[in-house]
């Protein structure tokens, strides 16, 4: 009986791990606030990024304000590989990342270990 319980526990744990890394999760999206022909979004960095998906208007200068609350070294940089941005995020400070919105598209960002992700949609 003990072996069956251990086997079932192992299968459930493997299923949870597969869901955690490969499953489809709901993503919180946020439209940028536009004021005086500039747009910005505040992003909290704490165990990931919140919100994870940002929608920006094409042609309006944009700033993403990352505030890192997490002490994990994984989240100490944010990298936009398509935009050539690799910005350090000091803990407890707001770091501004300027986004080029001249071209519509979907631009992904990730932490320095590529474990946490986010996305900017310019349309």
């Amino acid at each position: 009986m003990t072996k069956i319980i251990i086997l079932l526990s192992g299968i459930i744990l493997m299923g949870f791990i597969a869901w955690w890394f490969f499953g489809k999760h709901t993503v919180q999206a946020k439209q940028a606030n536009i004021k005086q022909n500039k747009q910005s979004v505040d992003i909290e960095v704490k165990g990931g990024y919140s919100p994870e998906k940002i929608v920006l208007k094409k042609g309006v200068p944009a700033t993403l304000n990352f505030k890192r609350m997490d002490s994990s070294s994984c989240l100490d940089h944010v990298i936009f590989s398509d935009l050539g941005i690799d910005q350090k995020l000091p803990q407890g400070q707001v770091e501004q990342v300027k986004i080029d919105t001249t071209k519509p598209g979907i631009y992904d960002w990730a932490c320095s270990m590529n474990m946490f992700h986010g996305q900017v949609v310019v349309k």
Side-chain angles (χ1 to χ4, degrees), residues 24-39:
K24 201 164 200 151
H25 304 279
T26 58
V27 175
Q28 184 183 12
K30 185 171 184 177
Q31 180 85 34
N33 298 324
I34 300 176
K35 292 180 182 171
Q36 299 175 346
N37 202 32
K38 293 181 181 178
Q39 54 188 335

Side-chain angles (χ1 to χ4, degrees), residues 27-32 41 43 49-56 64 106-107 109 117-121 123:
V27 175
Q28 184 183 12
K30 185 171 184 177
Q31 180 85 34
V41 175
I43 301 169
Y49 302 99
S50 180
E52 294 178 24
K53 185 175 183 178
I54 308 298
V55 179
L56 301 174
L64 303 181
I106 298 173
Y107 305 99
W109 80 72
H117 304 94
Q119 190 174 67
V120 171
V121 178
K123 57 181 180 180

Side-chain angles (χ1 to χ4, degrees), residues 70-86:
D70 195 310
S71 62
S72 168
S73 62
C74 172
L75 292 163
D76 67 355
H77 277 78
V78 62
I79 300 168
F80 291 79
S81 56
D82 294 336
L83 301 175
I85 298 171
D86 181 354

